Amino acid sequence: MSTESKQVTLALIQAKADSDPATNLQATLSKVEQSAADGANIVCTQELFATEYFCQSEDHDNFHLAESIPGATTEAFQRLAKRCGIVIIVSLFEKRSAGLYHNSAAVIDADGSLLGIYRKMHIPDDPLYHEKFYFTPGDLGFRAWDTRFGKIGVLICWDQWYPEAARLTAMQGAELLFYPTAIGWHPSEKEKYGEQQRDAWQTIQRSHAVANGCFVASVNRVGHETPVGGDGIEFWGGSFVAGTSGEILSQAGLDESVLLLEVDLGIVDTTRTHWPFLRDRRIDAYSGLTSE
Amino acid sequence: MSTESKQVTLALIQAKADSDPATNLQATLSKVEQSAADGANIVCTQELFATEYFCQSEDHDNFHLAESIPGATTEAFQRLAKRCGIVIIVSLFEKRSAGLYHNSAAVIDADGSLLGIYRKMHIPDDPLYHEKFYFTPGDLGFRAWDTRFGKIGVLICWDQWYPEAARLTAMQGAELLFYPTAIGWHPSEKEKYGEQQRDAWQTIQRSHAVANGCFVASVNRVGHETPVGGDGIEFWGGSFVAGTSGEILSQAGLDESVLLLEVDLGIVDTTRTHWPFLRDRRIDAYSGLTSE
């Protein structure tokens, strides 16, 4: 257990969204700044933090919520990252060009530079989660970025359910996978299926830590949003960080909170030699994964 | 929730191995027969049920424990399967030819026919788990078999840690994945890491059920085996069946037991439309999975 220690402090911003994007932006900038004051090195927002989860309906007006990357929001976070010397992952509704939109995350390094963007690769479409109406599936593939505080990957919400996404990101070198997320209960299903649904969501993400010997940090929103009436969605919070064997290191509840946690990325190397799964992959036998 | 019901009763034989293979064979045949009398339709043995876990050392004498498939053992189970009208999965040390051995499982249908074999694709090699000395990695790929009681896949132990294996087997049509297993604690690590190790093992397998909307049945051995002296391995039992959202439906403890459980394979279709992960896979972006 002599691997070099690489201590890094994470902050996960779990929040309730206001109907006003400017309010959300200001509140999130403040929380990120406070996290930095509290010792955070890498901060991650929840999915589409700037808005309510507008995908509950298919409404062309919502395309006005999108913005370019770089743009006003990423520039605000870039200034903050530089001033505080922290890495920030910002989840945004990206307008790439007229008629072409993505569900994206900007990765900003501690010097304020925009290292790159990840565009959500797997797009869901379910009752109240009409994402295929808004978002073109990502075109940039699975990536990892060498930030000042560690090599990280970013995946977004529905990507959580795909071991392929975690594997490919880890194979790019990511020691830590961030998942900005917006998932919750249909109120009518909560009593019967709620606990099982949240447990499945946590289990699949913990399994990515296990399979790849890396850390996983998942950042979910809270609050009961009913922007188009009806029962709406009760976002289930539960943001968490899992260690390299899938163990829960810290977990938020159902309230707004900033989950602050120090982890040692040096453990990744130790875990991967003690549980050498990557060694024994059968790349000669996996071609079916790309054909159906 | 109007999918056609496909009820099937599973039996998982979790046992302590005797040093005498003939004793293990007789005991296992008896337990399988009793399971059938108790209502089982598909029965699965633990990994290499006929012997102690001989891979604790690299010893050429152990190659004498292997046998051909078909052979005396599979024929005994074929007769039993036909007499009882049950499907049986038998995990065996297979001698394919001189100098060529596999860690295999025979899949026997309820009419006594040998449907096929699975040869363990991912071979571990760790202290006290010297499997690369004995077993050539499987050459037959990932498979599913249409048995009288459902379409099933079989994977073996170390395969458990690979989401790729579960995915490819599920994509062959398997509604239920069986994992004959032999995993336990190094006694010196048990106090500090034991609980976390067993939890990681359960989590990764539950995640295969989640990712693929299928059932998972894992059959582990129990007992403290020290065939070559030293501290040996304490096999941690804990055989379990997980439902299609990864929920634990039934679980054994640390004692010998036969886990008998009725499940409805019809749920697979319902789960996969309500959690449509297979719909959104990005086969255009997964080529990296086969190249490193």
Side-chain angles (χ1 to χ4, degrees):
Chain A
M1 299 282 181
S2 58
T3 311
E4 191 186 354
S5 160
K6 294 198 276 184
Q7 300 293 335
V8 57
T9 297
L10 316 177
L12 286 54
I13 314 288
Q14 171 174 302
K16 203 174 285 191
D18 193 90
S19 58
D20 173 36
T23 301
N24 294 322
L25 175 60
Q26 205 46 60
T28 303
L29 285 166
S30 295
K31 287 177 182 178
V32 172
E33 185 158 13
Q34 183 58 50
S35 302
D38 293 341
N41 305 120
I42 310 179
V43 186
C44 185
T45 75
Q46 65 201 23
E47 185 184 16
L48 302 170
F49 81 94
T51 60
E52 290 187 308
Y53 184 70
F54 54 83
C55 311
Q56 289 197 37
S57 65
E58 301 193 352
D59 183 342
H60 292 91
D61 283 345
N62 286 332
F63 286 105
H64 299 302
L65 298 169
E67 55 186 303
S68 62
I69 302 178
T73 297
T74 50
E75 283 161 10
F77 281 100
Q78 286 180 263
R79 286 190 297 272
L80 183 60
K82 184 175 182 178
R83 190 166 79 245
C84 298
I86 57 173
V87 172
I88 309 177
I89 298 151
V90 185
S91 170
L92 287 174
F93 183 17
E94 180 192 5
K95 180 172 184 172
R96 187 168 159 198
S97 71
L100 183 52
Y101 297 80
H102 295 286
N103 186 331
S104 301
V107 180
I108 300 167
D109 208 355
D111 63 358
S113 63
L114 182 62
L115 277 184
I117 58 178
Y118 170 75
R119 290 176 175 145
K120 187 173 183 173
M121 292 287 285
H122 302 92
I123 307 295
D125 200 274
D126 275 314
L128 300 191
Y129 295 86
H130 299 286
E131 295 201 16
K132 288 192 194 297
F133 175 75
Y134 294 103
F135 310 126
T136 294
D139 60 317
L140 300 175
F142 304 98
R143 310 181 65 182
W145 289 275
D146 212 354
T147 74
R148 184 185 295 176
F149 297 109
K151 197 150 184 182
I152 65 172
V154 181
L155 295 159
I156 301 175
C157 205
W158 195 239
D159 293 324
Q160 283 155 347
W161 303 96
Y162 295 84
E164 294 91 341
R167 179 73 96 204
L168 286 163
T169 306
M171 291 199 308
Q172 299 285 318
E175 300 163 313
L176 171 54
L177 306 179
F178 284 98
Y179 286 92
T181 297
I183 190 167
W185 296 295
H186 298 298
S188 65
E189 293 183 354
K190 185 179 173 186
E191 187 179 339
K192 185 167 182 190
Y193 298 109
E195 193 178 336
Q196 184 179 104
Q197 289 173 348
R198 189 161 69 168
D199 188 48
W201 170 82
Q202 189 188 77
T203 299
I204 192 78
Q205 293 179 88
R206 291 175 58 209
S207 82
H208 303 326
V210 174
N212 299 292
C214 64
F215 290 87
V216 166
S218 183
V219 194
N220 193 22
R221 66 172 62 202
V222 289
H224 186 179
E225 299 184 15
T226 56
V228 289
D231 286 345
I233 302 175
E234 279 185 69
F235 293 95
W236 65 47
S239 300
F240 68 90
V241 179
T244 58
S245 292
E247 73 279 19
I248 296 288
L249 299 176
S250 186
Q251 185 173 2
L254 269 169
D255 299 321
E256 288 202 310
S257 57
V258 175
L259 201 157
L260 200 78
L261 182 74
E262 186 179 36
V263 299
D264 178 6
L265 299 182
I267 292 172
V268 170
D269 198 53
T270 307
T271 301
R272 288 188 183 168
T273 51
H274 283 69
W275 290 96
F277 307 134
L278 296 183
R279 180 189 67 191
D280 298 327
R281 296 179 68 247
R282 291 295 304 270
I283 58 173
D284 60 310
Y286 292 165
S287 63
L289 294 171
T290 64
S291 62
E292 58 178 316
Chain B
M1 299 282 181
S2 56
T3 311
E4 191 187 353
S5 160
K6 294 197 276 183
Q7 300 291 335
V8 57
T9 297
L10 316 178
L12 285 55
I13 313 287
Q14 171 174 301
K16 204 174 283 192
D18 192 89
S19 58
D20 173 37
T23 301
N24 294 321
L25 175 60
Q26 204 47 58
T28 303
L29 285 166
S30 296
K31 287 175 182 178
V32 173
E33 184 157 15
Q34 183 60 49
S35 302
D38 294 340
N41 305 119
I42 309 180
V43 186
C44 184
T45 74
Q46 65 201 24
E47 185 184 16
L48 301 170
F49 81 93
T51 59
E52 289 188 308
Y53 185 69
F54 55 84
C55 311
Q56 289 197 37
S57 66
E58 301 193 352
D59 183 342
H60 292 92
D61 283 346
N62 286 332
F63 286 104
H64 298 303
L65 298 169
E67 55 185 303
S68 63
I69 302 177
T73 298
T74 50
E75 284 160 9
F77 282 99
Q78 286 180 264
R79 286 191 296 272
L80 184 60
K82 185 174 181 177
R83 192 167 77 246
C84 298
I86 58 173
V87 172
I88 310 178
I89 298 150
V90 185
S91 170
L92 287 173
F93 184 17
E94 180 192 6
K95 180 171 184 172
R96 186 168 158 197
S97 71
L100 183 53
Y101 297 79
H102 295 286
N103 185 332
S104 302
V107 180
I108 299 166
D109 207 355
D111 62 359
S113 64
L114 181 61
L115 276 185
I117 58 177
Y118 170 74
R119 290 176 174 147
K120 187 173 183 174
M121 291 288 284
H122 302 92
I123 307 295
D125 200 275
D126 275 315
L128 300 190
Y129 295 86
H130 299 286
E131 296 201 16
K132 288 191 194 297
F133 175 76
Y134 294 103
F135 310 127
T136 294
D139 59 317
L140 299 174
F142 304 99
R143 312 182 64 182
W145 288 274
D146 212 354
T147 74
R148 184 185 295 176
F149 297 109
K151 197 150 183 182
I152 65 172
V154 181
L155 295 159
I156 301 175
C157 206
W158 195 239
D159 293 323
Q160 282 155 348
W161 304 96
Y162 294 84
E164 295 91 342
R167 180 73 94 202
L168 286 162
T169 306
M171 290 198 310
Q172 299 286 318
E175 300 164 312
L176 171 54
L177 307 179
F178 283 97
Y179 285 93
T181 297
I183 191 167
W185 295 295
H186 297 299
S188 66
E189 293 183 353
K190 184 180 174 186
E191 187 179 337
K192 185 166 181 190
Y193 299 110
E195 194 178 334
Q196 186 180 103
Q197 290 173 347
R198 189 162 67 167
D199 189 48
W201 170 81
Q202 189 187 78
T203 298
I204 192 76
Q205 292 179 90
R206 289 175 58 209
S207 82
H208 304 326
V210 174
N212 299 292
C214 64
F215 290 87
V216 166
S218 183
V219 194
N220 194 22
R221 65 173 64 201
V222 288
H224 187 180
E225 298 185 15
T226 56
V228 291
D231 285 345
I233 301 175
E234 279 185 67
F235 293 95
W236 66 45
S239 300
F240 69 91
V241 179
T244 59
S245 291
E247 74 279 18
I248 296 288
L249 298 176
S250 186
Q251 184 174 3
L254 270 167
D255 298 320
E256 289 201 311
S257 57
V258 175
L259 202 158
L260 200 78
L261 182 73
E262 186 179 36
V263 298
D264 178 6
L265 298 181
I267 291 173
V268 170
D269 197 53
T270 306
T271 301
R272 287 189 184 169
T273 51
H274 282 69
W275 291 96
F277 307 134
L278 297 183
R279 179 190 66 192
D280 298 327
R281 297 180 67 249
R282 290 294 303 271
I283 58 174
D284 59 313
Y286 291 165
S287 63
L289 293 171
T290 63
S291 62
E292 58 178 316

